[in-house]
Amino acid sequence: MGIRLGCIADDFTGATDLANNLVRAGMRVVQLIDVPPAGAEQAVDADAVVIALKSRTVPPADAVESSLRALAWLRSMGAEQVYFKYCSTFDSTPAGNIGPVTEALMDALGTDFTVATPAFPDNGRTVFKGHLFVGDVLLGDSGMRHHPLTPMTDSNLVSVLGAQTTRAVGLIDHTVVAGGAEAIRARIDALREDGFGIAVADAVSNDDLLRLGAAVRGLPLVTAGSGLAIGLPANWGFEPSRAAAQLPPPGGHRAIVSGSVSAATNGQVLQYLRGGRPAFSVDPLRVAAGEDVVGQALAFAESHLADGPVLVYSTEPADTVRSVQGRLGAAEAGELVERTLARVAQGLVERGVRRLVVAGGETSGAVVQALGVTGLRIGPQIDPGVPWCAATLPGGDTLHITLKSGNFGGPDFFTSAFGLLDEEAA
């Protein structure tokens, strides 16, 4: 039997975020790191497959190309429905990449309509009258307005997405969503007749997402953040089950690698440091000057791993990040940090780390690629949108790893994550 749901995620943490919600709703999920090579169309023992790409901030043409490759592989595996997953803060620029990828997938699937909703109420992301809220504030008033790569200053998703697409973008507002699946389907039919190809859907609660999930059962393509995933597994008869999230027992040293510059991760780093725990700060300017910062970080970590967890971080407030970008260039600074932290992660695993927390989407992508990880089995949820996963390292050992979106997790995430893993193994 082919997989039921084939998912394409535009970054690595977003992929695990989506997979986490599918597992919580009862599906067995495998996450693949990029599109498998030609000839790798062997059977996958899962109900859903999530392919993690690094396509969020690449040029639109590159994002489209990699997304279409992912689609072709998922269709070869028999995927009955396709899910394009983007960030719950709709991270994008006027050029894309959400709009161009959505339209390319629609064309490839031969469908004239899809929905868009980044809503994830469990993490404070809600859509009302087409406007995205982050907690109690509009997206354009949130910390995302200062994002170094995709600053979000417009909260109206209809206008944001409309600027990225050739198709007309409409709205399925909260009054329709509250009416249930039949009302939503009727609104979709009306929008289609009026020439709309995409509709932003309101959702202010999980109940809204469940109603939307039932309503989009027949659409070849859905696009969303990870929230809508809670409403799809029931369309195939799946129900929540602890068995779907079982992982092998953990072991080995514990470590954290953090490259996110989000406000949430800054708070998590600060909370960790306040506890007096071992931490090493990576300074991009010292790396750029040619210092062996990787070696210094690993030497520091090696002396503390027995009493870990150990944190290696390059997480700074927005003004500090802008200062570094001003000296090195925004893209160059980001890539420098990613490469450095990826090498650190490699060294930590070589030194026996088998429980690893990675914070930040771009950092997560760089780390899993550096470790040679090609797939993840999704396990139990730590915080909304963030699960533990299990990967098989090239040498055969099991690595328990969590890839945390910069915006997700509570203040004590770095310590609570390891506590949960120990509880699950008990």
Side-chain angles (χ1 to χ4, degrees), residues 273-325:
L273 296 177
R274 283 172 175 164
R277 302 177 182 91
F280 183 93
S281 176
V282 171
D283 182 347
L285 296 178
R286 289 172 52 208
V287 178
E291 291 189 39
D292 182 16
V293 175
V294 172
Q296 296 166 13
L298 292 174
F300 173 87
E302 195 161 14
S303 65
H304 293 283
L305 281 174
D307 303 314
V310 176
L311 167 66
V312 179
Y313 68 101
S314 183
T315 296
E316 301 291 349
D319 56 348
T320 304
V321 173
R322 285 193 293 271
S323 175
V324 172
Q325 289 177 336

Side-chain angles (χ1 to χ4, degrees), residues 2-9 15 18-19 22 27-32 44 46-52 67 70-85 105 109 219-224 229 232 236:
I3 59 175
R4 303 301 181 87
L5 186 65
C7 309
I8 302 166
L18 168 61
L22 294 173
M27 279 183 153
R28 296 170 306 128
V29 182
V30 167
Q31 177 178 326
L32 301 178
V44 175
D47 306 308
V49 172
V50 182
I51 296 181
S67 300
L71 174 64
W73 192 88
L74 292 168
R75 294 179 80 180
S76 76
M77 299 299 293
E80 299 173 19
Q81 187 175 49
V82 175
Y83 191 129
F84 169 41
K85 194 275 177 193
L105 295 174
L109 288 165
L219 293 182
L221 172 71
V222 295
T223 86
L232 298 183
W236 289 280

Side-chain angles (χ1 to χ4, degrees), residues 119-215:
F120 190 4
D122 283 353
N123 262 325
R125 313 300 194 257
T126 54
V127 182
F128 181 77
K129 291 291 185 181
H131 288 70
L132 178 56
F133 286 78
V134 178
D136 294 329
V137 301
L138 286 163
L139 173 66
D141 297 326
S142 74
M144 281 301 298
R145 69 188 185 276
H146 300 308
H147 193 284
L149 299 177
T150 53
M152 301 302 294
T153 58
D154 186 354
S155 308
N156 186 337
L157 300 186
V158 175
S159 66
V160 171
L161 189 53
Q164 300 178 21
T165 61
T166 61
R167 289 170 169 84
V169 179
L171 175 66
I172 304 172
D173 80 5
H174 67 103
T175 60
V176 174
V177 174
E182 288 301 321
I184 297 168
R185 281 192 281 264
R187 175 61 175 161
I188 289 174
D189 289 342
L191 287 168
R192 269 178 158 150
E193 290 218 359
D194 289 339
F196 291 91
I198 306 170
V200 171
D202 280 356
V204 297
S205 68
N206 283 348
D207 286 342
D208 287 342
L209 293 174
L210 293 173
R211 287 187 279 262
L212 283 166

